[in-house]
Each structure stands twice: as structure tokens, then as C-alpha cells.
């Protein structure tokens, strides 16, 4: 929203397009290099397009490390990220440190090859149960490549 107000983003899909570009080209790796230096937890916080707050999982870092760093229980971190104890996230994964939102700024999203409801939930900062609800689908549903799904 800030970019749009400043006149840099004239397209309504600019934020989503920018995030897809970053993730497609693995540009987050530059963030991970920067995170190798000692910085405060607050300096690591990033915002999803809808304002949900997350950090990128650093090299060798675990969900337990994130929970300690942000003084949150592991159960709360798992809940924020729609994960179970068995989750094993790769470096660079988004880890939400506050509850994701119920909806997104964009109305719809076109599913890319290999994406899951969970990966879209993490990318867009929307709670998994609301993706199911907005699309009138049961838990466990997975969209098809190219399918247009509702984000609000």
C-alpha cells in the first residue's frame, strides 16, 4: 500500500507480482545473507501484502529458535503457521510470528504449478481455514494448477 500511495505501484496486483518475482528468483537468499549478521528480532520482521508479520527462517534455524527469539510458545508459532510438530521447514521459509489475517488485499489468486493451499496461505499471509472458507471447500482440499481461488 505504501508503494502505491507513493506512486510506485499503479497496478492493483503489484504487491503480489513483486512477491512472486522475489520467490521465483530466490531473491530472499540475499535477505538470509544479511540475517547472518547479528540483528534484533524486530529488525527481521517482514510484512506480507496484507500486513501479516513474518520472518524468514535462517540457515540452521528451527521453529524452536524463532519461538524463543520472539518469546512465543512453540505451540503458538505452529498455530500461526498452520503447522504440526512434524514440520521440517527449509531455510528461507516464511514463519509468521503473529497470527495471519482472515483475508488478503487481493480478491483472487491464480494457482501456480506445484503450489498448495498451505504454500499460498504462507505466501499471502492468510489463515489456512479462511482459504478453505472463502472458497467453500473442505479441509484438505488442494487447488489445481491455474485455478483461480478467492482470497477474501
Amino acid at each position: 500500500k505504501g508503494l502505491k500511495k507513493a506512486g510506485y505501484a499503479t497496478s492493483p496486483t503489484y504487491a503480489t507480482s513483486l512477491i512472486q518475482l522475489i520467490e521465483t528468483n530466490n531473491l530472499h537468499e540475499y535477505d538470509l545473507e544479511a540475517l547472518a549478521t547479528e540483528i534484533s528480532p524486530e529488525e527481521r520482521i517482514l510484512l506480507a501484502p496484507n500486513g501479516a508479520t513474518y520472518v524468514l527462517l535462517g540457515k540452521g534455524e528451527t521453529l524452536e529458535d524463532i519461538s524463543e527469539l520472539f518469546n512465543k510458545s512453540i505451540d503458538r508459532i505452529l498455530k500461526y503457521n498452520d503447522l504440526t510438530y512434524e514440520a521440517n521447514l527449509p531455510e528461507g521459509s516464511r514463519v509468521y510470528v503473529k497470527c495471519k489475517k482472515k483475508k488478503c488485499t487481493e480478491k483472487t489468486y491464480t494457482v501456480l504449478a506445484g503450489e498448495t493451499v498451505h504454500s499460498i496461505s504462507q505466501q499471502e499471509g492468510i489463515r489456512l481455514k479462511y482459504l478453505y472458507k472463502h472458497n467453500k471447500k473442505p479441509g484438505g482440499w488442494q487447488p489445481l494448477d491455474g485455478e483461480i481461488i478467492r482470497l477474501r
Side-chain angles (χ1 to χ4, degrees):
K1 288 182 180 180
L3 288 173
K4 191 171 185 176
K5 286 180 184 177
Y8 292 104
T10 57
S11 170
T13 61
Y14 180 78
T16 302
S17 299
L18 182 61
I19 290 168
Q20 286 176 344
L21 180 68
I22 290 168
E23 291 180 349
T24 300
N25 294 296
N26 294 318
L27 299 178
H28 65 275
E29 291 177 10
Y30 294 103
D31 292 330
L32 296 175
E33 286 179 25
L35 292 176
T37 62
E38 194 67 34
I39 58 174
S40 73
E42 293 76 23
E43 291 175 307
R44 289 186 59 182
I45 291 178
L46 300 169
L47 296 177
N50 65 356
T53 56
Y54 68 93
V55 296
L56 296 175
L57 195 63
K59 186 174 186 171
E61 198 169 38
T62 66
L63 292 175
E64 288 81 4
D65 295 331
I66 298 293
S67 73
E68 288 177 24
L69 189 63
F70 287 90
N71 199 27
K72 308 269 183 177
S73 72
I74 187 65
D75 289 334
R76 190 159 302 277
I77 295 293
L78 291 171
K79 182 177 180 177
Y80 292 161
N81 292 278
D82 302 298
L83 295 171
T84 63
Y85 283 102
E86 294 78 31
N88 187 16
L89 299 179
E91 177 184 346
S93 295
R94 287 184 182 198
V95 178
Y96 285 87
V97 294
K98 291 186 179 177
C99 194
K100 291 185 280 185
K101 309 290 183 170
K102 294 180 181 181
K103 59 184 179 179
C104 294
T105 52
E106 301 293 327
K107 290 182 181 179
T108 61
Y109 178 83
T110 303
V111 179
L112 302 175
E115 287 186 311
T116 64
V117 175
H118 186 264
S119 68
I120 296 166
S121 165
Q122 290 297 100
Q123 177 180 310
E124 297 298 322
I126 183 172
R127 290 185 235 169
L128 194 57
K129 73 178 184 178
Y130 287 100
L131 270 181
Y132 293 133
K133 184 177 180 177
H134 297 322
N135 290 280
K136 298 180 173 121
K137 301 291 184 180
W141 160 77
Q142 292 298 324
L144 302 173
D145 295 350
E147 185 173 348
I148 297 173
I149 64 170
R150 297 180 54 82
L151 297 177
R152 50 178 162 150

